[in-house]
Amino acid sequence: MYQTLTNRLREALARHVQEKYGVEVAIVLERPPKIEMGEAASPVCFELAKRLKKSPRQIAQEIANEFSKLDGIAKLEVAGGGYLNAFFDRAAFWTSVRAEQSSEPPVASGKKIIVEHTSINPNKAAHIGHVRNAVLGDTMARILRHAGSNVQIQNYIDNTGVQVADVVIGFLHLEQRTPVSVKMMAMEPKFDYLCWDLYAKATQFLAGDKERATKLRGETLKAIEERRGEEAEVAEVVADAIVGCHLRTMARLGIAYELLARESEILHLKFWDAAFEMLKKSGAIQLASSGKMAGCWIMPWEEEKKDSAINTERTENSEDTEKEDEDEQSQDKIIVRSNGTVTYVGKDIAYQLWKFGLLGKDFRYRKWPNAPVGEEVWATTSGAGDASAPHFGAPARRVYNVIDTRQAYVQEVVAQGLRGLGHAEAAENSIHLWYERLVLTPRCAAEMGYELSADEAKKPYVEVSGRKGLGVKADDLIDRLEAAALAEVRQRHADMSTEEHERTAHAIAVGALRFFLLKFTRIAIIAFDFKDALSFEGETGTYCQNAVVRIRGIRRKVVEAGATSVEVTQESAGRLLSGAERNRLWELLVAAGSLDHAVEAAIGTQEPAFVAKYAFQLAQAFNNFYHKHHILSEADEQKRAFLLRLTEMVEAQLVRALTLLGIESPEKM
């Protein structure tokens, strides 16, 4: 409700300024530092003063005196040297938040928005870094849907890439496995763990001889892309089995997908061929005829070439000049290798064109056979498609690609490919929702069984590396969190059934993990720690869940006591919210009514952390209120009813905020 009112105020102020002064100006609204100063403040009069040659305070007084009555706004006052402070109609706000409490989110409408997230290479178990990607993407999708957007969630499966090829090399060359034996192994429940270890071994094996690695990888990739031989057979088994493992892992965190867009179909259904012709015809890519990239199709970067040339001129040493020349060529992104295989960047360009409906082709679709229980997941296929499949090929208005910050350059290359084809608007709406790394505290790494040197133990965090097999597998992490939560729940609630214990522990564990990953902004490097995440105090998911549990406990006690409460009218609410002594109650109500403000901020900045911060601050405000107001023993029946309704509003908004974060609110903790 807060955002609704401030939007209304912003529009009305802009109209008033235009009508009175003939000036168009952007209206900025801020929250005053104290509730006594109102709920919104604008410094617009300082900007107007420059144009109108009047003092800011004089202009502010003129506007305040003549401003028409606005629904939901009680008054405008002048503050300081010329601020306009707006005061909400407290009684009307109470009624609006109560209505919002039981309202349904808007029905999805408009051209679709694609959120592509997770996109783990299907060659090993998911790790904690992948979880940050999936939680970030899933939460962004939830927030966009809550705001009424038509959102489609996709998970890109790179089943023809180098990482899969390395595992294939591991099975066929290191372990001398046959495709049949790999199929049998793929039926094992921890096949993704097995591949985790094999991938590390294969990486080490290939690193020992670069010439051998180049040859083996090149041959294996070509065989996989052309769907021939044992390499292609094993690659399909590995990728499909690992995808199934990933889906089950993410389902534990409440994360689901609508479409698995497989890279293989980009090749087999000639998506890449179509994109390749478009790129060549437009001149967006060029065939390199000399140098280390001879025979490769590359995407030149003219501006970066100029920068490199300047650097070269500054270099006097011939060895350094040669290095600068290499750096200059590295700015040209390879799209097709000299052996004819396509880089993942090239396939990404084709995929992005399809997302925006610019390729003139569509996938065929089938239901994924090994979807988690209760979920319907579709996947692209080069075989016969299912006629009942949803229309995934409808063009998107905007695309969020959730990929870590280390892929920023590659994402810009993809966008440049769209621009080179004349699709500047699509490039603008192709959003790289990037994020920083997730690492471990030394304490967490030690708890997970990693041996740390004395120097590593002193560092603020420990890096993880899938190639080296170092890191925390996502399932192991969830298991540890659930075990810790289960021990706590059993101790607190011996009367619960085993099923209730496990269900509650799962909700706490998932809430702890998701909130921990979401409370930090995307630019922050997160050092994960079990103790910090599971704490019942501080800025944690557990703290927020506990506030909901406390409210539900109050409601249960009201029922048990047989207490009745009268209806709280708008007039009585206004009376109880008026006056300086009631400002704390008003602050809690404003907090409860500000979810829409947090959602709009999250979408505008692409930062789900705004919703996490909102949930924590609302829980904190309620706990402060709880310790000062003894609801059940309140003698004034009207006030008791008001306090009960207020807690219900807080509960509804807090549960809604936690749901947007993918966090369940248990009945007991």
Side-chain angles (χ1 to χ4, degrees), residues 630-649:
H630 303 289
I631 300 171
L632 295 176
S633 60
E634 174 58 54
D636 184 327
E637 187 178 38
Q638 183 68 215
K639 185 176 180 181
R640 183 175 67 244
F642 170 84
L643 296 176
L644 283 170
R645 294 293 86 76
L646 182 56
T647 60
E648 289 171 3
M649 289 182 192

Side-chain angles (χ1 to χ4, degrees), residues 503-520:
R503 186 170 60 247
T504 303
H506 175 72
I508 293 171
V510 171
L513 178 55
R514 290 189 65 128
F515 193 92
F516 190 89
L517 298 178
L518 291 167
K519 72 177 182 178
F520 297 97

Side-chain angles (χ1 to χ4, degrees), residues 145-400:
R145 278 180 174 158
H146 175 82
S149 294
N150 176 17
V151 180
Q152 185 181 99
I153 301 172
Q154 297 184 7
N155 183 354
Y156 184 68
I157 310 299
D158 184 4
N159 59 341
T160 64
V162 174
Q163 287 78 10
V164 171
D166 283 359
V167 174
V168 171
I169 290 168
F171 276 124
L172 296 179
H173 294 273
L174 282 180
E175 299 199 342
Q176 300 291 308
R177 297 277 183 181
T178 64
V180 173
S181 69
V182 176
K183 285 181 182 177
M184 297 299 292
M185 295 172 72
M187 296 178 187
E188 297 177 10
K190 292 286 188 180
F191 181 65
D192 53 341
Y193 279 44
L194 185 153
C195 289
W196 173 288
D197 295 332
L198 181 60
Y199 177 58
K201 290 178 185 176
T203 299
Q204 188 175 9
F205 165 73
L206 292 166
D209 187 330
K210 290 187 177 179
E211 186 175 340
R212 175 181 62 192
T214 301
K215 182 173 183 295
L216 269 177
R217 279 182 174 139
E219 292 172 349
T220 304
L221 279 170
K222 198 165 182 64
I224 292 171
E225 288 186 5
E226 295 174 359
R227 289 191 290 182
R228 58 175 172 77
E230 291 186 338
E231 292 88 352
E233 192 176 350
V234 171
E236 183 175 4
V237 170
V238 168
D240 286 0
I242 297 290
V243 167
C245 294
H246 291 167
L247 295 184
R248 289 189 292 275
T249 298
M250 295 307 165
R252 297 180 70 184
L253 297 172
I255 297 170
Y257 312 89
E258 290 161 88
L259 178 65
L260 307 178
R262 304 197 312 162
E263 189 174 82
S264 53
E265 273 71 64
I266 289 175
L267 297 172
H268 303 155
L269 295 179
K270 309 299 182 184
F271 275 40
W272 164 244
D273 290 2
F276 191 27
E277 290 305 313
M278 292 164 68
L279 289 164
K280 287 190 291 186
K281 186 176 180 179
S282 68
I285 61 174
Q286 300 172 8
L287 181 63
S289 57
S290 61
K292 292 177 67 176
M293 297 185 187
C296 298
W297 284 93
I298 61 176
M299 185 178 294
W301 288 75
E302 295 302 329
E303 290 184 8
E304 291 181 354
K305 279 188 174 184
K306 284 181 184 177
D307 291 340
S308 294
I310 291 171
N311 290 335
T312 301
E313 288 172 7
R314 290 177 181 171
T315 306
E316 296 178 4
N317 183 282
S318 60
E319 184 178 337
D320 289 343
T321 302
E322 183 178 336
K323 182 179 184 302
E324 290 292 344
D325 289 340
E326 290 175 4
D327 288 344
E328 181 180 334
Q329 280 203 314
S330 73
Q331 304 300 330
D332 297 323
K333 194 63 193 176
I334 298 176
I335 306 301
V336 182
R337 303 180 186 93
S338 57
N339 66 359
T341 57
V342 189
T343 64
Y344 70 95
V345 183
K347 288 173 269 193
D348 271 1
I349 293 172
Y351 180 36
Q352 204 73 348
L353 286 168
W354 170 78
K355 289 177 183 175
F356 286 104
L358 301 172
L359 195 62
K361 298 176 73 67
D362 196 7
F363 291 112
R364 296 195 287 270
Y365 307 95
R366 65 182 175 93
K367 285 185 181 178
W368 187 254
N370 298 314
V373 177
E375 293 182 16
E376 182 178 273
V377 185
W378 291 83
T380 59
T381 178
S382 52
D386 187 332
S388 68
H391 185 35
F392 291 110
R397 172 171 61 90
R398 184 176 298 123
V399 174
Y400 292 88

